[in-house]
Amino acid sequence: MSQFLRPNIRAMAGYTPGEQPQSGGIVKLNTNENPYPPSPRALEAMADLLRSDRLRKYPDPLGTAFCKTAGKLFGVDPDGILIGNGSDDILTILTRAFVPEKGLIVSPTPSYLLYSTLADIQGAKFEGVPFTKDWQLPTPWPRRNAHLTVVANPNSPTGTVVSNAALETLASELQGPLVIDEAYGDFAAASEPDAQTRQGAASLAGASGSNVIITRTLSKSYSLAGLRFGFAIASPSLIGELIKVKDSYNCDALSLAGAQAALEDQEYLRQTTAKIVATRARMTAELRTLGFDVLPSQANFVWATRSDRPVKPIFEALKQRNILVRYMNYPGFGDGLRISVGSDAEIDRLLAELKRIV
Ligand code: PMP
């Protein structure tokens, strides 16, 4: 049967998500989940929905109520919001909408590996433009004619950020759309002293004629990775086009109710992101004491490398001790450990084991 597949599907490797262990007792620091529970208001909204008869009916295909809340929070027209089943769904919609077969997706590298997988599925090419040594965008940008250019900001796995001004310059240089993937944007907004605004680069996206699209997720800062909810911000006319590409009911009624209530609870978001930012600072300092090179992160993870020895054995030793982190190896950039910021107790456990290992 597989001979009938499109050749690019047969040829591609597929994206490998971080491991989700089936057994308990694991300190899980490999997929940037939030160690704190979601907002109690989000949980309550979902419990209310389950008690109503709303699951019997189809959900609102456009998530109108959610878009109103998100529009207000980001200072944009609610018609400029597109809902998604996680931001990965949004990235898929954008690829299907903009990238033809044999087309081109470009992203700074190293970054989120899904961008090149999306190119593979589409039968398109992917090209990585290396970050500069200090993790900024090269100027002038060398590849202006991509069908889609994607910049994760903060970036993964490095946790580094580029300024909104640099992104605005990049957008003006490009001949195509610029997607700014702000999956970790709320952690940057909570980081001092270089804090970005809570709205991230949303102001670049909403205007008519803008070629900027922002993607956001509730998986990280809102602690709703299991719910699967993300959204895009762009000009209302572009969102009108993208709606044609998405599944009619790509977000279920439960996730819409939870996502809206989560966004309405900004005070809870502020409290939990502040705790994560504080743990991140302590963890960065202690990892450096243990001989790791750690980039200053504005996300909910850190990128730890070593110049004195390979890190893969450290990853394996941690795994044997029931601590999961993400080992990554980028050709041209070497390898490292991407370690999510867990609870203080989880990070204490990580640091204690690392002291024994290194
Ligand atoms: N963008 C980046 C940079 C990510 O790291 C992730 C998480 N793997 C996502 C998007 C997707 O997140 P989700 O689909 O859970 O919204």
PDB file of all heavy atoms in Angstrom, residues 15 31-32 85-89 91 111-112 114-115 152-156 181-184 215-220 224-225 228-230 301 326 338, ligand 1:
ATOM      1  N   TYR A  15       8.263  14.109  12.532  1.00  0.00           N
ATOM      2  CA  TYR A  15       8.667  14.823  13.740  1.00  0.00           C
ATOM      3  C   TYR A  15       8.617  13.875  14.937  1.00  0.00           C
ATOM      4  O   TYR A  15       7.682  13.079  15.062  1.00  0.00           O
ATOM      5  CB  TYR A  15       7.725  16.004  13.978  1.00  0.00           C
ATOM      6  CG  TYR A  15       8.047  16.802  15.225  1.00  0.00           C
ATOM      7  CD1 TYR A  15       9.128  17.683  15.235  1.00  0.00           C
ATOM      8  CD2 TYR A  15       7.294  16.659  16.383  1.00  0.00           C
ATOM      9  CE1 TYR A  15       9.443  18.407  16.364  1.00  0.00           C
ATOM     10  CE2 TYR A  15       7.596  17.385  17.526  1.00  0.00           C
ATOM     11  CZ  TYR A  15       8.674  18.258  17.514  1.00  0.00           C
ATOM     12  OH  TYR A  15       8.976  18.961  18.634  1.00  0.00           O
ATOM     13  N   THR A  31       9.546  18.517  27.858  1.00  0.00           N
ATOM     14  CA  THR A  31       8.670  19.099  26.824  1.00  0.00           C
ATOM     15  C   THR A  31       8.086  20.452  27.248  1.00  0.00           C
ATOM     16  O   THR A  31       7.052  20.874  26.729  1.00  0.00           O
ATOM     17  CB  THR A  31       7.522  18.138  26.437  1.00  0.00           C
ATOM     18  OG1 THR A  31       6.874  17.697  27.623  1.00  0.00           O
ATOM     19  CG2 THR A  31       8.015  16.937  25.656  1.00  0.00           C
ATOM     20  N   ASN A  32       8.763  21.112  28.180  1.00  0.00           N
ATOM     21  CA  ASN A  32       8.398  22.494  28.553  1.00  0.00           C
ATOM     22  C   ASN A  32       6.959  22.632  29.035  1.00  0.00           C
ATOM     23  O   ASN A  32       6.309  23.651  28.793  1.00  0.00           O
ATOM     24  CB  ASN A  32       8.664  23.462  27.390  1.00  0.00           C
ATOM     25  CG  ASN A  32      10.101  23.394  26.940  1.00  0.00           C
ATOM     26  OD1 ASN A  32      10.966  22.968  27.709  1.00  0.00           O
ATOM     27  ND2 ASN A  32      10.370  23.795  25.713  1.00  0.00           N
ATOM     28  N   ASN A  85      -6.061  23.995  17.192  1.00  0.00           N
ATOM     29  CA  ASN A  85      -5.931  22.848  18.081  1.00  0.00           C
ATOM     30  C   ASN A  85      -4.452  22.730  18.492  1.00  0.00           C
ATOM     31  O   ASN A  85      -3.707  21.874  18.025  1.00  0.00           O
ATOM     32  CB  ASN A  85      -6.410  21.611  17.318  1.00  0.00           C
ATOM     33  CG  ASN A  85      -6.452  20.368  18.174  1.00  0.00           C
ATOM     34  OD1 ASN A  85      -6.468  20.440  19.398  1.00  0.00           O
ATOM     35  ND2 ASN A  85      -6.462  19.228  17.533  1.00  0.00           N
ATOM     36  N   GLY A  86      -4.031  23.660  19.352  1.00  0.00           N
ATOM     37  CA  GLY A  86      -2.602  23.835  19.634  1.00  0.00           C
ATOM     38  C   GLY A  86      -2.014  24.747  18.575  1.00  0.00           C
ATOM     39  O   GLY A  86      -2.608  24.935  17.502  1.00  0.00           O
ATOM     40  N   SER A  87      -0.848  25.352  18.870  1.00  0.00           N
ATOM     41  CA  SER A  87      -0.284  26.227  17.837  1.00  0.00           C
ATOM     42  C   SER A  87       0.321  25.402  16.715  1.00  0.00           C
ATOM     43  O   SER A  87       0.515  25.914  15.610  1.00  0.00           O
ATOM     44  CB  SER A  87       0.692  27.247  18.421  1.00  0.00           C
ATOM     45  OG  SER A  87       1.700  26.630  19.154  1.00  0.00           O
ATOM     46  N   ASP A  88       0.603  24.131  16.946  1.00  0.00           N
ATOM     47  CA  ASP A  88       1.039  23.272  15.835  1.00  0.00           C
ATOM     48  C   ASP A  88      -0.025  23.224  14.731  1.00  0.00           C
ATOM     49  O   ASP A  88       0.305  23.199  13.544  1.00  0.00           O
ATOM     50  CB  ASP A  88       1.308  21.845  16.331  1.00  0.00           C
ATOM     51  CG  ASP A  88       2.643  21.721  17.066  1.00  0.00           C
ATOM     52  OD1 ASP A  88       3.434  22.675  17.019  1.00  0.00           O
ATOM     53  OD2 ASP A  88       2.876  20.668  17.678  1.00  0.00           O
ATOM     54  N   ASP A  89      -1.296  23.202  15.125  1.00  0.00           N
ATOM     55  CA  ASP A  89      -2.391  23.220  14.144  1.00  0.00           C
ATOM     56  C   ASP A  89      -2.344  24.526  13.339  1.00  0.00           C
ATOM     57  O   ASP A  89      -2.516  24.526  12.113  1.00  0.00           O
ATOM     58  CB  ASP A  89      -3.728  23.075  14.887  1.00  0.00           C
ATOM     59  CG  ASP A  89      -4.946  23.056  13.964  1.00  0.00           C
ATOM     60  OD1 ASP A  89      -4.839  22.529  12.841  1.00  0.00           O
ATOM     61  OD2 ASP A  89      -6.011  23.558  14.380  1.00  0.00           O
ATOM     62  N   LEU A  91       0.299  26.333  12.761  1.00  0.00           N
ATOM     63  CA  LEU A  91       1.463  26.276  11.859  1.00  0.00           C
ATOM     64  C   LEU A  91       1.158  25.410  10.636  1.00  0.00           C
ATOM     65  O   LEU A  91       1.589  25.709   9.525  1.00  0.00           O
ATOM     66  CB  LEU A  91       2.693  25.749  12.614  1.00  0.00           C
ATOM     67  CG  LEU A  91       3.215  26.673  13.729  1.00  0.00           C
ATOM     68  CD1 LEU A  91       4.236  25.952  14.617  1.00  0.00           C
ATOM     69  CD2 LEU A  91       3.834  27.941  13.149  1.00  0.00           C
ATOM     70  N   SER A 111      16.332  25.911  15.643  1.00  0.00           N
ATOM     71  CA  SER A 111      15.045  26.322  16.180  1.00  0.00           C
ATOM     72  C   SER A 111      14.103  25.124  16.241  1.00  0.00           C
ATOM     73  O   SER A 111      14.551  23.968  16.189  1.00  0.00           O
ATOM     74  CB  SER A 111      14.471  27.465  15.336  1.00  0.00           C
ATOM     75  OG  SER A 111      13.341  28.029  15.964  1.00  0.00           O
ATOM     76  N   TYR A 112      12.817  25.418  16.324  1.00  0.00           N
ATOM     77  CA  TYR A 112      11.795  24.377  16.485  1.00  0.00           C
ATOM     78  C   TYR A 112      11.807  23.463  15.246  1.00  0.00           C
ATOM     79  O   TYR A 112      11.630  23.948  14.118  1.00  0.00           O
ATOM     80  CB  TYR A 112      10.446  25.071  16.642  1.00  0.00           C
ATOM     81  CG  TYR A 112       9.270  24.178  16.975  1.00  0.00           C
ATOM     82  CD1 TYR A 112       9.422  22.974  17.651  1.00  0.00           C
ATOM     83  CD2 TYR A 112       7.984  24.587  16.635  1.00  0.00           C
ATOM     84  CE1 TYR A 112       8.320  22.195  17.970  1.00  0.00           C
ATOM     85  CE2 TYR A 112       6.879  23.819  16.959  1.00  0.00           C
ATOM     86  CZ  TYR A 112       7.059  22.614  17.612  1.00  0.00           C
ATOM     87  OH  TYR A 112       5.967  21.843  17.923  1.00  0.00           O
ATOM     88  N   LEU A 114       9.809  21.321  14.079  1.00  0.00           N
ATOM     89  CA  LEU A 114       8.575  21.067  13.331  1.00  0.00           C
ATOM     90  C   LEU A 114       8.511  21.861  12.021  1.00  0.00           C
ATOM     91  O   LEU A 114       7.894  21.411  11.052  1.00  0.00           O
ATOM     92  CB  LEU A 114       7.343  21.405  14.185  1.00  0.00           C
ATOM     93  CG  LEU A 114       6.004  21.099  13.512  1.00  0.00           C
ATOM     94  CD1 LEU A 114       5.735  19.595  13.503  1.00  0.00           C
ATOM     95  CD2 LEU A 114       4.842  21.827  14.178  1.00  0.00           C
ATOM     96  N   TYR A 115       9.160  23.041  11.984  1.00  0.00           N
ATOM     97  CA  TYR A 115       9.060  23.854  10.758  1.00  0.00           C
ATOM     98  C   TYR A 115       9.549  23.078   9.536  1.00  0.00           C
ATOM     99  O   TYR A 115       8.948  23.152   8.466  1.00  0.00           O
ATOM    100  CB  TYR A 115       9.866  25.164  10.885  1.00  0.00           C
ATOM    101  CG  TYR A 115       9.563  25.980  12.123  1.00  0.00           C
ATOM    102  CD1 TYR A 115      10.566  26.675  12.794  1.00  0.00           C
ATOM    103  CD2 TYR A 115       8.265  26.074  12.635  1.00  0.00           C
ATOM    104  CE1 TYR A 115      10.297  27.432  13.924  1.00  0.00           C
ATOM    105  CE2 TYR A 115       7.988  26.824  13.771  1.00  0.00           C
ATOM    106  CZ  TYR A 115       9.010  27.496  14.415  1.00  0.00           C
ATOM    107  OH  TYR A 115       8.756  28.237  15.536  1.00  0.00           O
ATOM    108  N   ALA A 152      10.822  31.740  15.849  1.00  0.00           N
ATOM    109  CA  ALA A 152      10.331  31.476  17.206  1.00  0.00           C
ATOM    110  C   ALA A 152      10.958  32.512  18.132  1.00  0.00           C
ATOM    111  O   ALA A 152      12.177  32.662  18.173  1.00  0.00           O
ATOM    112  CB  ALA A 152      10.712  30.068  17.644  1.00  0.00           C
ATOM    113  N   ASN A 153      10.120  33.221  18.894  1.00  0.00           N
ATOM    114  CA  ASN A 153      10.627  34.295  19.753  1.00  0.00           C
ATOM    115  C   ASN A 153       9.822  34.346  21.050  1.00  0.00           C
ATOM    116  O   ASN A 153       8.656  34.733  21.016  1.00  0.00           O
ATOM    117  CB  ASN A 153      10.511  35.644  19.020  1.00  0.00           C
ATOM    118  CG  ASN A 153      11.393  36.704  19.660  1.00  0.00           C
ATOM    119  OD1 ASN A 153      12.524  36.436  20.033  1.00  0.00           O
ATOM    120  ND2 ASN A 153      10.858  37.902  19.788  1.00  0.00           N
ATOM    121  N   PRO A 154      10.415  33.934  22.189  1.00  0.00           N
ATOM    122  CA  PRO A 154      11.738  33.368  22.390  1.00  0.00           C
ATOM    123  C   PRO A 154      11.949  32.099  21.551  1.00  0.00           C
ATOM    124  O   PRO A 154      11.004  31.395  21.248  1.00  0.00           O
ATOM    125  CB  PRO A 154      11.762  33.018  23.893  1.00  0.00           C
ATOM    126  CG  PRO A 154      10.756  33.908  24.512  1.00  0.00           C
ATOM    127  CD  PRO A 154       9.703  34.099  23.478  1.00  0.00           C
ATOM    128  N   ASN A 155      13.226  31.862  21.244  1.00  0.00           N
ATOM    129  CA  ASN A 155      13.557  30.715  20.413  1.00  0.00           C
ATOM    130  C   ASN A 155      13.689  29.447  21.255  1.00  0.00           C
ATOM    131  O   ASN A 155      13.995  29.501  22.439  1.00  0.00           O
ATOM    132  CB  ASN A 155      14.885  30.994  19.694  1.00  0.00           C
ATOM    133  CG  ASN A 155      15.237  29.915  18.703  1.00  0.00           C
ATOM    134  OD1 ASN A 155      14.404  29.514  17.890  1.00  0.00           O
ATOM    135  ND2 ASN A 155      16.460  29.413  18.764  1.00  0.00           N
ATOM    136  N   SER A 156      13.427  28.320  20.640  1.00  0.00           N
ATOM    137  CA  SER A 156      13.729  27.019  21.242  1.00  0.00           C
ATOM    138  C   SER A 156      14.750  26.344  20.342  1.00  0.00           C
ATOM    139  O   SER A 156      14.596  26.392  19.124  1.00  0.00           O
ATOM    140  CB  SER A 156      12.460  26.170  21.309  1.00  0.00           C
ATOM    141  OG  SER A 156      12.766  24.854  21.703  1.00  0.00           O
ATOM    142  N   ASP A 181       6.521  33.005  16.055  1.00  0.00           N
ATOM    143  CA  ASP A 181       5.988  31.946  16.914  1.00  0.00           C
ATOM    144  C   ASP A 181       6.279  32.334  18.368  1.00  0.00           C
ATOM    145  O   ASP A 181       7.404  32.158  18.853  1.00  0.00           O
ATOM    146  CB  ASP A 181       6.658  30.621  16.523  1.00  0.00           C
ATOM    147  CG  ASP A 181       6.219  29.451  17.396  1.00  0.00           C
ATOM    148  OD1 ASP A 181       5.629  29.676  18.466  1.00  0.00           O
ATOM    149  OD2 ASP A 181       6.508  28.296  17.004  1.00  0.00           O
ATOM    150  N   GLU A 182       5.269  32.863  19.036  1.00  0.00           N
ATOM    151  CA  GLU A 182       5.435  33.332  20.419  1.00  0.00           C
ATOM    152  C   GLU A 182       4.913  32.307  21.428  1.00  0.00           C
ATOM    153  O   GLU A 182       4.265  32.665  22.410  1.00  0.00           O
ATOM    154  CB  GLU A 182       4.738  34.689  20.601  1.00  0.00           C
ATOM    155  CG  GLU A 182       5.400  35.804  19.806  1.00  0.00           C
ATOM    156  CD  GLU A 182       4.840  37.190  20.104  1.00  0.00           C
ATOM    157  OE1 GLU A 182       3.721  37.284  20.660  1.00  0.00           O
ATOM    158  OE2 GLU A 182       5.506  38.180  19.773  1.00  0.00           O
ATOM    159  N   ALA A 183       5.226  31.038  21.190  1.00  0.00           N
ATOM    160  CA  ALA A 183       4.792  29.989  22.123  1.00  0.00           C
ATOM    161  C   ALA A 183       5.253  30.300  23.552  1.00  0.00           C
ATOM    162  O   ALA A 183       4.566  29.992  24.520  1.00  0.00           O
ATOM    163  CB  ALA A 183       5.328  28.628  21.669  1.00  0.00           C
ATOM    164  N   TYR A 184       6.438  30.928  23.669  1.00  0.00           N
ATOM    165  CA  TYR A 184       7.009  31.202  25.001  1.00  0.00           C
ATOM    166  C   TYR A 184       6.969  32.696  25.348  1.00  0.00           C
ATOM    167  O   TYR A 184       7.663  33.155  26.256  1.00  0.00           O
ATOM    168  CB  TYR A 184       8.449  30.666  25.052  1.00  0.00           C
ATOM    169  CG  TYR A 184       8.518  29.188  24.730  1.00  0.00           C
ATOM    170  CD1 TYR A 184       8.889  28.740  23.462  1.00  0.00           C
ATOM    171  CD2 TYR A 184       8.145  28.254  25.683  1.00  0.00           C
ATOM    172  CE1 TYR A 184       8.904  27.381  23.155  1.00  0.00           C
ATOM    173  CE2 TYR A 184       8.157  26.895  25.387  1.00  0.00           C
ATOM    174  CZ  TYR A 184       8.536  26.468  24.128  1.00  0.00           C
ATOM    175  OH  TYR A 184       8.539  25.127  23.827  1.00  0.00           O
ATOM    176  N   THR A 215       1.829  33.592  16.283  1.00  0.00           N
ATOM    177  CA  THR A 215       1.178  32.399  16.821  1.00  0.00           C
ATOM    178  C   THR A 215       1.444  32.320  18.322  1.00  0.00           C
ATOM    179  O   THR A 215       2.515  32.694  18.800  1.00  0.00           O
ATOM    180  CB  THR A 215       1.649  31.098  16.142  1.00  0.00           C
ATOM    181  OG1 THR A 215       3.028  30.889  16.432  1.00  0.00           O
ATOM    182  CG2 THR A 215       1.469  31.163  14.642  1.00  0.00           C
ATOM    183  N   ARG A 216       0.453  31.858  19.043  1.00  0.00           N
ATOM    184  CA  ARG A 216       0.504  31.757  20.508  1.00  0.00           C
ATOM    185  C   ARG A 216      -0.068  30.411  20.934  1.00  0.00           C
ATOM    186  O   ARG A 216      -0.903  29.839  20.234  1.00  0.00           O
ATOM    187  CB  ARG A 216      -0.356  32.857  21.139  1.00  0.00           C
ATOM    188  CG  ARG A 216       0.257  34.232  21.034  1.00  0.00           C
ATOM    189  CD  ARG A 216       0.894  34.565  22.360  1.00  0.00           C
ATOM    190  NE  ARG A 216       1.653  35.798  22.310  1.00  0.00           N
ATOM    191  CZ  ARG A 216       2.200  36.343  23.399  1.00  0.00           C
ATOM    192  NH1 ARG A 216       2.021  35.818  24.583  1.00  0.00           N
ATOM    193  NH2 ARG A 216       2.916  37.435  23.297  1.00  0.00           N
ATOM    194  N   THR A 217       0.321  29.935  22.087  1.00  0.00           N
ATOM    195  CA  THR A 217      -0.224  28.676  22.589  1.00  0.00           C
ATOM    196  C   THR A 217      -0.626  28.805  24.050  1.00  0.00           C
ATOM    197  O   THR A 217      -0.058  29.623  24.777  1.00  0.00           O
ATOM    198  CB  THR A 217       0.805  27.537  22.445  1.00  0.00           C
ATOM    199  OG1 THR A 217       0.220  26.337  22.950  1.00  0.00           O
ATOM    200  CG2 THR A 217       2.079  27.811  23.218  1.00  0.00           C
ATOM    201  N   LEU A 218      -1.577  27.987  24.485  1.00  0.00           N
ATOM    202  CA  LEU A 218      -1.922  27.922  25.906  1.00  0.00           C
ATOM    203  C   LEU A 218      -1.232  26.733  26.583  1.00  0.00           C
ATOM    204  O   LEU A 218      -1.471  26.436  27.738  1.00  0.00           O
ATOM    205  CB  LEU A 218      -3.448  27.862  26.093  1.00  0.00           C
ATOM    206  CG  LEU A 218      -4.110  29.253  26.104  1.00  0.00           C
ATOM    207  CD1 LEU A 218      -4.191  29.847  24.715  1.00  0.00           C
ATOM    208  CD2 LEU A 218      -5.476  29.208  26.747  1.00  0.00           C
ATOM    209  N   SER A 219      -0.355  26.058  25.814  1.00  0.00           N
ATOM    210  CA  SER A 219       0.288  24.843  26.334  1.00  0.00           C
ATOM    211  C   SER A 219       1.321  25.131  27.409  1.00  0.00           C
ATOM    212  O   SER A 219       1.581  24.276  28.257  1.00  0.00           O
ATOM    213  CB  SER A 219       0.997  24.092  25.204  1.00  0.00           C
ATOM    214  OG  SER A 219       0.078  23.660  24.236  1.00  0.00           O
ATOM    215  N   LYS A 220       1.956  26.300  27.346  1.00  0.00           N
ATOM    216  CA  LYS A 220       3.128  26.533  28.207  1.00  0.00           C
ATOM    217  C   LYS A 220       2.769  27.446  29.383  1.00  0.00           C
ATOM    218  O   LYS A 220       2.622  26.986  30.496  1.00  0.00           O
ATOM    219  CB  LYS A 220       4.260  27.146  27.381  1.00  0.00           C
ATOM    220  CG  LYS A 220       4.419  26.566  25.992  1.00  0.00           C
ATOM    221  CD  LYS A 220       5.007  25.173  25.999  1.00  0.00           C
ATOM    222  CE  LYS A 220       5.193  24.694  24.561  1.00  0.00           C
ATOM    223  NZ  LYS A 220       5.736  23.359  24.485  1.00  0.00           N
ATOM    224  N   LEU A 224      -1.818  24.363  29.833  1.00  0.00           N
ATOM    225  CA  LEU A 224      -2.925  23.602  29.242  1.00  0.00           C
ATOM    226  C   LEU A 224      -2.451  22.780  28.033  1.00  0.00           C
ATOM    227  O   LEU A 224      -3.160  22.677  27.026  1.00  0.00           O
ATOM    228  CB  LEU A 224      -4.054  24.554  28.833  1.00  0.00           C
ATOM    229  CG  LEU A 224      -4.865  25.168  30.001  1.00  0.00           C
ATOM    230  CD1 LEU A 224      -5.735  26.330  29.524  1.00  0.00           C
ATOM    231  CD2 LEU A 224      -5.730  24.111  30.687  1.00  0.00           C
ATOM    232  N   ALA A 225      -1.265  22.177  28.158  1.00  0.00           N
ATOM    233  CA  ALA A 225      -0.718  21.403  27.024  1.00  0.00           C
ATOM    234  C   ALA A 225      -1.639  20.244  26.642  1.00  0.00           C
ATOM    235  O   ALA A 225      -1.769  19.895  25.473  1.00  0.00           O
ATOM    236  CB  ALA A 225       0.678  20.886  27.363  1.00  0.00           C
ATOM    237  N   ARG A 228      -4.836  21.230  24.258  1.00  0.00           N
ATOM    238  CA  ARG A 228      -4.557  21.556  22.852  1.00  0.00           C
ATOM    239  C   ARG A 228      -5.315  22.812  22.425  1.00  0.00           C
ATOM    240  O   ARG A 228      -6.416  22.759  21.880  1.00  0.00           O
ATOM    241  CB  ARG A 228      -4.925  20.387  21.904  1.00  0.00           C
ATOM    242  CG  ARG A 228      -4.389  19.038  22.275  1.00  0.00           C
ATOM    243  CD  ARG A 228      -2.884  19.024  22.409  1.00  0.00           C
ATOM    244  NE  ARG A 228      -2.215  19.470  21.195  1.00  0.00           N
ATOM    245  CZ  ARG A 228      -1.227  20.379  21.189  1.00  0.00           C
ATOM    246  NH1 ARG A 228      -0.794  20.948  22.297  1.00  0.00           N
ATOM    247  NH2 ARG A 228      -0.671  20.722  20.058  1.00  0.00           N
ATOM    248  N   PHE A 229      -4.716  23.955  22.683  1.00  0.00           N
ATOM    249  CA  PHE A 229      -5.316  25.193  22.196  1.00  0.00           C
ATOM    250  C   PHE A 229      -4.223  26.221  21.881  1.00  0.00           C
ATOM    251  O   PHE A 229      -3.335  26.475  22.689  1.00  0.00           O
ATOM    252  CB  PHE A 229      -6.301  25.783  23.222  1.00  0.00           C
ATOM    253  CG  PHE A 229      -7.217  26.811  22.605  1.00  0.00           C
ATOM    254  CD1 PHE A 229      -8.443  26.432  22.077  1.00  0.00           C
ATOM    255  CD2 PHE A 229      -6.825  28.141  22.501  1.00  0.00           C
ATOM    256  CE1 PHE A 229      -9.266  27.368  21.457  1.00  0.00           C
ATOM    257  CE2 PHE A 229      -7.648  29.078  21.887  1.00  0.00           C
ATOM    258  CZ  PHE A 229      -8.874  28.675  21.376  1.00  0.00           C
ATOM    259  N   GLY A 230      -4.327  26.789  20.695  1.00  0.00           N
ATOM    260  CA  GLY A 230      -3.423  27.859  20.286  1.00  0.00           C
ATOM    261  C   GLY A 230      -4.186  28.809  19.397  1.00  0.00           C
ATOM    262  O   GLY A 230      -5.341  28.565  19.054  1.00  0.00           O
ATOM    263  N   PHE A 301      12.493  27.195  29.842  1.00  0.00           N
ATOM    264  CA  PHE A 301      13.493  26.132  29.748  1.00  0.00           C
ATOM    265  C   PHE A 301      14.843  26.812  29.615  1.00  0.00           C
ATOM    266  O   PHE A 301      14.904  28.020  29.349  1.00  0.00           O
ATOM    267  CB  PHE A 301      13.227  25.235  28.525  1.00  0.00           C
ATOM    268  CG  PHE A 301      13.119  26.006  27.245  1.00  0.00           C
ATOM    269  CD1 PHE A 301      14.250  26.387  26.535  1.00  0.00           C
ATOM    270  CD2 PHE A 301      11.875  26.398  26.760  1.00  0.00           C
ATOM    271  CE1 PHE A 301      14.148  27.127  25.362  1.00  0.00           C
ATOM    272  CE2 PHE A 301      11.773  27.140  25.585  1.00  0.00           C
ATOM    273  CZ  PHE A 301      12.905  27.503  24.895  1.00  0.00           C
ATOM    274  N   ARG A 326      15.553  17.004  27.567  1.00  0.00           N
ATOM    275  CA  ARG A 326      15.592  16.784  26.110  1.00  0.00           C
ATOM    276  C   ARG A 326      17.022  16.914  25.616  1.00  0.00           C
ATOM    277  O   ARG A 326      17.642  17.974  25.792  1.00  0.00           O
ATOM    278  CB  ARG A 326      14.682  17.814  25.426  1.00  0.00           C
ATOM    279  CG  ARG A 326      14.424  17.565  23.946  1.00  0.00           C
ATOM    280  CD  ARG A 326      13.275  16.606  23.757  1.00  0.00           C
ATOM    281  NE  ARG A 326      12.980  16.388  22.346  1.00  0.00           N
ATOM    282  CZ  ARG A 326      11.938  16.892  21.708  1.00  0.00           C
ATOM    283  NH1 ARG A 326      11.090  17.676  22.343  1.00  0.00           N
ATOM    284  NH2 ARG A 326      11.734  16.620  20.432  1.00  0.00           N
ATOM    285  N   ARG A 338      18.150  20.556  26.656  1.00  0.00           N
ATOM    286  CA  ARG A 338      17.107  21.552  26.896  1.00  0.00           C
ATOM    287  C   ARG A 338      16.316  21.080  28.112  1.00  0.00           C
ATOM    288  O   ARG A 338      15.712  20.016  28.083  1.00  0.00           O
ATOM    289  CB  ARG A 338      16.213  21.719  25.669  1.00  0.00           C
ATOM    290  CG  ARG A 338      15.359  22.996  25.739  1.00  0.00           C
ATOM    291  CD  ARG A 338      14.270  22.986  24.712  1.00  0.00           C
ATOM    292  NE  ARG A 338      13.310  21.928  24.986  1.00  0.00           N
ATOM    293  CZ  ARG A 338      12.299  21.602  24.184  1.00  0.00           C
ATOM    294  NH1 ARG A 338      12.125  22.238  23.046  1.00  0.00           N
ATOM    295  NH2 ARG A 338      11.461  20.636  24.505  1.00  0.00           N
TER     296      ARG A 338
HETATM  297  N1  PMP B   1       6.219  26.524  18.860  1.00  0.00           N
HETATM  298  C1  PMP B   1       7.287  26.202  19.597  1.00  0.00           C
HETATM  299  C2  PMP B   1       8.540  27.016  19.451  1.00  0.00           C
HETATM  300  C3  PMP B   1       7.219  25.118  20.481  1.00  0.00           C
HETATM  301  O1  PMP B   1       8.300  24.770  21.200  1.00  0.00           O
HETATM  302  C4  PMP B   1       6.022  24.386  20.588  1.00  0.00           C
HETATM  303  C5  PMP B   1       5.923  23.222  21.552  1.00  0.00           C
HETATM  304  N2  PMP B   1       6.444  22.030  21.083  1.00  0.00           N
HETATM  305  C6  PMP B   1       4.941  24.744  19.786  1.00  0.00           C
HETATM  306  C7  PMP B   1       5.061  25.834  18.945  1.00  0.00           C
HETATM  307  C8  PMP B   1       3.652  23.980  19.743  1.00  0.00           C
HETATM  308  O2  PMP B   1       2.928  24.031  20.886  1.00  0.00           O
HETATM  309  P1  PMP B   1       1.405  23.565  20.921  1.00  0.00           P
HETATM  310  O3  PMP B   1       1.099  22.813  19.658  1.00  0.00           O
HETATM  311  O4  PMP B   1       1.306  22.732  22.139  1.00  0.00           O
HETATM  312  O5  PMP B   1       0.614  24.823  20.999  1.00  0.00           O
END
